[in-house]
Amino acid sequence: MDITSIELWTLPNSGISTRHATLSLDPSAAQESYILKSATGLDPDEILNQFYAVRGTNLNPIKFYSLLPSARIVTFNIKLNPNYAEARTPSNLRDTLYKMISHDRTGDVQIRLMNADVIVGVLNGFVTRFESDLFNNDPTVTITFTCTHPFIRSLSRLEIGPSLSFPSIQFDDDISTAPHGFYMKIQLLSNISNPVIQGQGDLPNASPFAILYDFLADDILYFISEPDARALYIERAGDVIHLVDRVSLNSIWPLVFPGHNNITVFFNATIISFAHYLTYWGV
């Protein structure tokens, strides 16, 4: 991942985002108010190997794991670059950053990783520590953020449907570096009981994802397999029916992996939309 600067934005409940600071990676950028001297937490640090399920026989068991980064804590050491001719004093620059801490009751802050004017990835979180060396001829601040999601992700979901086709949904993700979930909306074309979805990387010994429910033609199925936002429900005749409690025991939620993906849907349906976030372990 190539980045040239980092932007700090607040995300108030009003939905109107505000850019509070641009952290330049160029130490000679005299026109910039904030120069990033160092950063930690933009790599995955500790990777947790969490047991997920076991398949196979008692004599030859195969264990499945979910690999996740530990809670992501990002720290920026920032040089304040005053310009007194423009009334850009160290105090004013600090105040701008202070306003991020509690800009509203959520305190949500978004760290945007930029390559020129392109947003490569984002992290969302909140400020948990703010340190400043006051009365120094070379003023700096150190800000620590606790992120609400451990992976770096694209700002918005990448839509790759409905050009995909059933029963084998195949596509390539050559940009992401980490596995992640997807968002799928499909319409069933016929009645079916206990439909099955088989994910990439789950063969040959994983239990497929099975929904123990009687579906009807024209049901709209919403399937979200993001590990921190899983959801499963249908719309039927104007009603919403939640189905997470109907997932078969030991089912493995399908994911998108870097590279080629093949997700098989074992029932008659048509894709309305299929999308996912580009997802990264680190910079």
Side-chain angles (χ1 to χ4, degrees), residues 90-212:
S91 178
N92 292 339
L93 295 176
R94 277 193 299 270
D95 286 347
T96 298
L97 297 176
Y98 281 140
K99 292 175 183 178
M100 288 191 307
I101 298 175
S102 56
H103 56 90
D104 69 358
R105 293 190 180 275
T106 68
D108 290 337
V109 177
Q110 188 172 80
I111 301 169
R112 297 186 179 182
L113 308 177
M114 308 294 296
N115 186 357
D117 294 328
V118 177
I119 303 173
V120 180
V122 301
L123 287 163
N124 291 335
F126 49 92
V127 178
T128 52
R129 191 176 181 89
F130 195 111
E131 302 167 89
S132 179
D133 57 346
L134 302 174
F135 316 119
N136 192 310
N137 290 332
D138 189 21
T140 63
V141 297
T142 300
I143 308 176
T144 299
F145 302 86
T146 295
C147 298
T148 53
H149 189 280
F151 285 110
I152 299 171
R153 298 197 292 191
S154 56
L155 179 65
S156 57
R157 292 195 293 265
L158 176 66
E159 179 69 48
I160 58 174
S163 59
L164 302 170
S165 60
F166 278 170
S168 181
I169 304 172
Q170 298 194 46
F171 60 95
D172 294 321
D173 181 358
D174 294 325
I175 301 176
S176 294
T177 60
H180 52 281
F182 58 87
Y183 298 70
M184 181 170 64
K185 179 181 179 182
I186 58 179
Q187 182 177 18
L188 279 78
L189 300 180
S190 60
N191 299 351
I192 186 173
S193 296
N194 308 333
V196 169
I197 301 173
Q198 185 78 56
Q200 171 77 6
D202 294 345
L203 297 174
N205 296 294
S207 293
F209 185 91
I211 308 169
L212 305 181

Side-chain angles (χ1 to χ4, degrees), residues 1-9 19 21-27 29 31-32 34-36 39 42 76 110-122 283:
M1 178 188 294
D2 295 324
I3 63 172
T4 57
S5 64
I6 296 174
E7 296 182 352
L8 303 179
W9 289 68
R19 181 174 61 184
T22 297
L23 312 182
S24 174
L25 304 188
D26 181 1
Q31 75 280 6
E32 300 293 344
Y34 304 98
I35 308 296
L36 184 63
L42 295 179
F76 295 139
Q110 188 172 80
I111 301 169
R112 297 186 179 182
L113 308 177
M114 308 294 296
N115 186 357
D117 294 328
V118 177
I119 303 173
V120 180
V122 301
V283 173

Side-chain angles (χ1 to χ4, degrees), residues 2-53:
D2 295 324
I3 63 172
T4 57
S5 64
I6 296 174
E7 296 182 352
L8 303 179
W9 289 68
T10 52
L11 307 174
N13 288 329
S14 65
I16 302 174
S17 302
T18 302
R19 181 174 61 184
H20 280 255
T22 297
L23 312 182
S24 174
L25 304 188
D26 181 1
S28 63
Q31 75 280 6
E32 300 293 344
S33 298
Y34 304 98
I35 308 296
L36 184 63
K37 297 182 66 177
S38 64
T40 61
L42 295 179
D43 53 0
D45 197 15
E46 181 183 11
I47 298 176
L48 305 177
N49 196 5
Q50 296 181 340
F51 176 75
Y52 191 94

Side-chain angles (χ1 to χ4, degrees), residues 190-251:
S190 60
N191 299 351
I192 186 173
S193 296
N194 308 333
V196 169
I197 301 173
Q198 185 78 56
Q200 171 77 6
D202 294 345
L203 297 174
N205 296 294
S207 293
F209 185 91
I211 308 169
L212 305 181
Y213 189 75
D214 295 324
F215 287 82
L216 302 179
D218 296 327
D219 282 348
I220 305 297
L221 174 63
Y222 293 81
F223 182 98
I224 303 173
S225 65
E226 282 287 356
D228 64 337
R230 287 172 178 160
L232 184 71
Y233 60 93
I234 61 170
E235 289 181 351
R236 175 184 292 174
D239 295 326
V240 175
I241 304 172
H242 293 276
L243 299 175
V244 170
D245 61 338
R246 298 300 187 96
V247 176
S248 174
L249 184 65
N250 294 326
S251 288

